């Protein structure tokens, strides 16, 4: 709770310095508090919820395995709910300081892990199973774990497919379909996703969404 208050105070003083009116800040503080409170209710079926986790409107949670959401992460279900689902025995872990935008769908049948400070854009799909074999579509293929490391940014409407690892600091372009591993600090785009740029790790600034 102390960390949550400290983060809120930091943002408040920054906004005051930037010329935000007191009335705007009161509204923002009220909304922030409401997001903290509703998270306790909306995420009651999540096994572990870190301090400072917020929900903007109600996500859809279908947890039959293990689900963990790290501290100060925000789930924004403003237009379309965020969907988080785990099958029996599956493990979905979302790190700290992440931003999960509206319409995001994460379906976990074995293992999906998001690191800290990840930004996931609207309507992104992340799955560890294709759910149907190509030739016999009544059969379900084997699941393949998905790992998304720290500081990854996934653009709107991108898809992350089974068995993929996305390295730290990588960027996935809007609408990309990621079928192969992405190296750290690479920018990928297209269908299927291909590397279009390499970022300089020495110039990277790790920051939480909203900072």
């Amino acid at each position: 709770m102390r960390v949550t208050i400290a983060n809120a105070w930091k943002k408040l003083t920054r906004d005051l310095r930037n010329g935000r009116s007191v009335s705007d800040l009161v509204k923002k503080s009220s909304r922030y508090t409401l997001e903290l409170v509703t998270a306790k209710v909306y995420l009651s079926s999540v096994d572990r919820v870190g301090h400072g986790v917020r929900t903007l409107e109600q996500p859809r949670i279908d947890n039959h395995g293990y689900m963990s959401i790290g501290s100060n992460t925000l789930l924004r279900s403003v237009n379309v709910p965020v969907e988080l689902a785990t099958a029996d025995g599956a493990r979905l872990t979302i790190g700290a300081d992440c931003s999960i935008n509206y319409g995001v769908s994460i379906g976990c049948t074995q293992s999906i892990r998001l690191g800290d400070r990840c930004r996931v854009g609207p309507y992104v799909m992340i799955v560890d199973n294709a759910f149907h074999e190509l030739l016999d579509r009544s059969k379900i293929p084997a699941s393949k774990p998905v790992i998304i490391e720290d500081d990854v940014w996934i653009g709107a409407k991108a898809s992350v497919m089974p068995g993929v690892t996305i390295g730290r600091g990588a960027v996935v372009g809007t609408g990309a379909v990621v079928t192969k591993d992405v190296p750290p600090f690479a920018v990928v785009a297209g269908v299927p996703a291909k590397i279009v740029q390499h970022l300089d790790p020495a110039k990277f600034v790790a920051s939480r969404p909203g900072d």
Side-chain angles (χ1 to χ4, degrees):
M1 180 60 73
R2 292 178 182 175
V3 175
T4 302
I5 294 172
N7 289 336
W9 179 254
K10 178 183 176 181
K11 292 180 180 180
L12 178 63
T13 54
R14 180 192 62 195
D15 289 342
L16 284 170
R17 288 195 301 268
N18 291 337
R20 294 285 295 273
S21 68
V22 174
S23 60
D24 284 345
L25 293 178
V26 169
K27 291 178 183 178
K28 183 177 180 179
S29 297
S30 298
R31 187 184 71 184
Y32 187 91
T33 301
L34 180 61
E35 292 167 359
L36 288 171
V37 172
T38 56
K40 300 290 186 182
V41 178
Y42 294 155
L43 303 178
S44 59
S45 62
V46 175
D47 297 281
R48 180 187 175 277
V49 179
H51 63 77
V53 170
R54 295 179 289 143
T55 52
L56 186 52
E57 302 298 336
Q58 185 171 3
R60 292 177 181 166
I61 307 296
D62 188 15
N63 184 18
H64 298 277
Y66 176 85
M67 194 178 293
S68 172
I69 301 175
S71 299
N72 301 313
T73 285
L74 171 64
L75 276 58
R76 301 184 72 253
S77 300
V78 288
N79 298 318
V80 178
V82 171
E83 297 179 338
L84 305 179
T86 57
D88 289 342
R91 189 177 185 91
L92 169 60
T93 303
I94 298 173
D97 302 312
C98 294
S99 176
I100 311 296
N101 226 312
Y102 59 86
V104 168
S105 179
I106 303 178
C108 179
T109 61
Q110 185 186 80
S111 177
I112 296 177
R113 177 169 62 84
L114 279 72
D116 297 338
R117 299 175 302 279
C118 290
R119 303 167 189 251
V120 185
Y123 299 108
V124 166
M125 180 184 73
I126 303 171
V127 291
D128 63 357
N129 193 297
F131 297 102
H132 300 282
E133 292 279 6
L134 289 177
L135 296 177
D136 185 350
R137 294 168 195 177
S138 64
K139 293 183 178 180
I140 299 176
S143 298
K144 299 178 181 178
V146 171
I147 300 172
I148 299 171
E149 296 182 353
D150 296 346
D151 302 301
V152 169
W153 177 12
I154 304 176
K157 298 183 179 179
S159 298
V160 179
M161 305 307 290
V164 164
T165 294
I166 301 178
R168 178 176 180 252
V171 179
V172 177
T174 298
V177 178
V178 185
T179 59
K180 297 181 180 179
D181 291 353
V182 178
F185 296 102
V187 180
V188 298
V191 181
K194 296 181 180 179
I195 297 174
V196 296
Q197 185 179 352
H198 289 280
L199 304 176
D200 184 354
K203 296 181 179 179
F204 181 74
V205 179
S207 62
R208 301 183 310 166
D211 281 354

